[in-house]
Amino acid sequence: MKEYKMLIGGEWVSAKSGQTRDVTDPASGELLAKVPEANADDAKLAIAAARKAFDEGPWRSTPALERGKLLFKVSKAIMDNFDKFVEMEVRDCGKPRREAEFDVGDAANCFEYYGGLATKIHGQTMNTPDGSVSLIVREPIGVCGQIVPWNYPLLMSTWKLAPALAAGNCVILKPSELTPMSALELGQIFMDAGFPPGVVNIITGPGAGAGEELATNPKVDKVAFTGGTVTGKKVMQNATNNIKNVTLELGGKNPVIVFDDCNFDSAVDWTLFAAFANQGEVCSAGSRLLVQKSIHRKFVDELVKRVPRIKLGHGLNEGVVMGPLVSAAHRDKVESYIKIGIDEGAKLLCGGKRPEGKEFEKGNFVEPTIFDDVKPSMRIAREEIFGPVLSVIPFETEEEAIALANDSEYGLAAGVFTSNITRGHRVIGKIRAGITWINNYHPTYNEMPWGGYKQSGIGRELGLFGIEAYLETKQINIWLDDNPVGWY
Ligand code: TXE
């Protein structure tokens, strides 16, 4: 058990109230750590530290090359501590080891990517009509509040920190109260790398209080949030206080469309991964399977046949590819949706319950669950469950598949399986979603923009778009004629 402090203004501090929160392993209930329970007062201190570092500190004038090199150091330190981070992520949020390994590697690569981009922030020059020399320059936005969820603690922290720092901002990061450990460990890496005090502040605490303060406080220039759509709406409302720049990455009810001309085996494999990777606790999870009627029965039978290959258990155990849900409360929510699905008349094909056996007794496990004959109007077809629950809806024509796919308040991700690439392009072109795949699902690239249409969010993270989200734009017009114009 480790006792953590949080990082404010370059110092490791306790919460002003002295309160702490227990962090437990969702697979075993084991106490892992105690972390400070920040409230709005602590958030205000962190905001003041970031404000001071931005307004008075050396960060804005630190050459981009130096900022980039510091981010390279962070990347290297993550890789030097690869196993430690992997184990921590598995224990903290319950993911299987192989997925934690992807996350830690991706996080290191993301810091490296944005370290490289720090020196590639360019402005423009314009030929203005009166002959002035006109420049467009890019500047950091200022102080950024960054609020991240519990499903990818290290990676979501990274997606927020790396571009913001590359662009020259100062930040206050708040990880989820359920999974704060890797963000705090990252804090130590920032200190060791030599970031000036106050440039990176990390506070741990709940959304009500600490999180709300980051969204509301007028000294914060931007708030970037990843989490549920209901919370995202609150963050956006609170951000109107001082018209903050806002980036939101919210929920999804993402369709996977399988046509009868697909590569059958590969489509089955990816469909299971789409739905059940990270226990389905993924905003981009392919949780709605739209499958063409001509192969519906065969496809669903094959899915069900392969489900027993999904080994549940503690993510550190050999061969485990599905861990527990993050908390007992979240398991209750997922189980309530399973009950809703049964009550609505969907056909439960497999799962729907907790696994039996001693190793599962103390964890928040739910078996991979597939519902067939789901009607598009059912709640399990419309609402984000955020667990290992797949809803299958059969369709007949391409037009019907597109209409069903778009029949959602969300628009985060989508997948299409077909061996007709023309059809693949045509269908994806008509789907209102920001992240799409043809003939696979989930691979995510630091170079590619991540974010959603409709109620799945505003703005994009990652890639060049990700650094854009942390830059202001200024025009500078230079008059070259010394003679008075004679206006008056
Ligand atoms: O997330 P919240 P919760 C979805 C998923 C899940 C549901 C609720 O469907 O079942 O959201 O999960 C902070 N002001 N996703 O309640 O509330 C909070 O402390 C400012 C989708 O765990 O969105 C945490 O740091 N901040 C998702 C972060 O917001 C607030 C990932 C996310 O918490 C706040 C997670 C407030 N008023 C859940 N209230 C995705 N898109 O990946 C909470 N927070």
Side-chain angles (χ1 to χ4, degrees):
M1 205 277 294
K2 186 161 175 182
E3 292 200 32
Y4 283 98
K5 294 195 169 178
M6 54 191 180
L7 183 60
I8 298 182
E11 306 285 336
W12 290 103
V13 300
S14 305
K16 280 275 157 214
S17 66
Q19 286 188 346
T20 59
R21 174 184 289 254
D22 290 350
V23 181
T24 55
D25 181 334
S28 65
E30 182 196 342
L31 179 64
L32 300 174
K34 284 185 183 291
V35 298
E37 181 82 331
N39 59 26
D41 291 338
D42 302 291
K44 283 190 181 102
L45 289 178
I47 293 165
R51 201 66 264 171
K52 187 162 185 277
F54 187 76
D55 295 334
E56 302 164 25
W59 189 237
R60 260 155 94 192
S61 53
T62 301
L65 183 63
E66 293 308 315
R67 291 204 303 270
K69 283 183 179 170
L70 286 171
L71 291 173
F72 292 150
K73 277 195 191 175
V74 173
S75 171
K76 180 172 181 306
I78 290 173
M79 288 314 283
D80 289 346
N81 291 281
F82 187 85
D83 292 336
K84 177 173 139 184
F85 274 113
V86 167
E87 193 170 316
M88 186 177 297
E89 290 294 85
V90 171
R91 287 191 192 280
D92 205 2
C93 60
K95 57 179 66 215
R97 180 192 286 275
R98 76 172 180 190
E99 291 181 27
E101 287 175 353
F102 291 144
D103 294 0
V104 178
D106 279 354
N109 288 337
C110 187
F111 277 111
E112 191 169 282
Y113 175 77
Y114 282 109
L117 270 191
T119 51
K120 291 154 198 79
I121 300 168
H122 294 294
Q124 295 173 14
T125 58
M126 294 299 285
N127 294 323
T128 33
D130 64 4
S132 291
V133 172
S134 291
L135 313 175
I136 300 167
V137 296
R138 312 305 309 278
E139 296 182 344
I141 291 178
V143 169
C144 304
Q146 305 186 311
I147 302 169
V148 296
W150 40 260
N151 54 342
Y152 290 84
L154 177 68
L155 198 56
M156 291 302 104
S157 300
T158 300
W159 285 15
K160 301 246 177 307
L161 291 167
L165 295 168
N169 298 278
C170 294
V171 302
I172 308 105
L173 175 80
K174 193 195 84 60
S176 166
E177 57 274 31
L178 298 176
T179 55
M181 286 162 55
S182 54
L184 292 171
E185 294 286 345
L186 206 50
Q188 188 59 51
I189 286 180
F190 280 104
M191 298 300 289
D192 295 344
F195 279 77
V199 171
V200 180
N201 304 276
I202 300 174
I203 58 171
T204 49
E212 269 175 28
E213 186 63 29
L214 294 182
T216 313
N217 193 305
K219 294 189 175 130
V220 177
D221 301 300
K222 176 186 174 99
V223 62
F225 170 83
T226 299
T229 295
V230 173
T231 312
K233 287 181 184 176
K234 273 193 218 155
V235 167
M236 193 167 173
Q237 276 161 0
N238 288 333
T240 59
N241 200 26
N242 62 319
I243 315 292
K244 281 185 185 56
N245 179 311
V246 177
T247 306
L248 301 173
E249 204 267 274
L250 308 176
K253 190 73 189 177
N254 311 292
V256 173
I257 305 175
V258 176
F259 288 102
D260 60 6
D261 62 356
C262 67
N263 176 330
F264 189 88
D265 267 355
S266 171
V268 169
D269 197 30
W270 283 110
T271 299
L272 288 171
F273 188 60
F276 298 132
N278 210 51
Q279 307 78 241
E281 295 173 322
V282 191
C283 53
S284 56
S287 54
R288 276 194 299 154
L289 169 61
L290 312 178
V291 56
Q292 200 153 26
K293 274 195 181 138
S294 41
I295 56 161
H296 168 218
R297 182 62 34 226
K298 186 175 163 214
F299 197 84
V300 164
D301 284 351
E302 190 58 29
L303 290 178
V304 173
K305 203 167 111 194
R306 288 196 202 178
V307 161
R309 295 191 200 169
I310 302 174
K311 186 173 174 197
L312 271 82
H314 193 295
L316 292 177
N317 291 346
E318 191 64 30
V320 165
V321 288
M322 184 182 279
L325 298 177
V326 74
S327 65
H330 187 56
R331 177 175 62 181
D332 290 348
K333 176 185 158 178
V334 171
E335 287 180 332
S336 78
Y337 272 107
I338 292 171
K339 183 166 181 314
I340 288 167
I342 293 167
D343 292 347
E344 284 179 317
K347 191 159 138 199
L348 182 66
L349 294 182
C350 62
K353 55 182 174 49
R354 301 176 184 187
E356 284 164 19
K358 208 161 169 38
E359 65 167 311
F360 302 115
E361 275 169 9
K362 292 188 180 150
N364 312 312
F365 293 93
V366 172
E367 288 183 351
T369 299
I370 302 179
F371 278 109
D372 198 7
D373 294 336
V374 174
K375 303 278 175 295
S377 58
M378 290 179 180
R379 287 182 64 191
I380 59 164
R382 310 199 70 78
E383 298 175 20
E384 185 180 54
I385 300 174
F386 222 66
V389 182
L390 176 63
S391 299
V392 183
I393 306 175
F395 72 86
E396 269 182 71
T397 63
E398 187 177 308
E399 292 67 35
E400 193 189 348
I402 293 165
L404 283 168
N406 284 330
D407 180 19
S408 172
E409 67 192 32
Y410 296 111
L412 188 61
V416 174
F417 288 87
T418 172
S419 47
N420 177 343
I421 194 65
T422 312
R423 167 185 260 173
H425 266 292
R426 188 169 62 226
V427 171
I428 283 293
K430 290 182 182 161
I431 290 182
R432 309 241 317 128
I435 306 152
T436 66
W437 293 277
I438 299 178
N439 292 334
N440 73 352
Y441 203 94
H442 275 323
T444 301
Y445 310 99
N446 286 317
E447 299 79 7
M448 298 290 280
W450 182 272
Y453 289 25
K454 301 196 262 181
Q455 293 193 37
S456 291
I458 296 179
R460 295 291 179 272
E461 300 191 284
L462 296 184
L464 297 175
F465 293 83
I467 201 158
E468 275 291 320
Y470 285 97
L471 289 167
E472 273 289 11
T473 305
K474 177 184 278 177
Q475 54 168 292
I476 304 174
N477 302 296
I478 308 165
W479 188 248
L480 297 176
D481 190 345
D482 284 338
N483 298 311
V485 176
W487 288 111
Y488 299 107

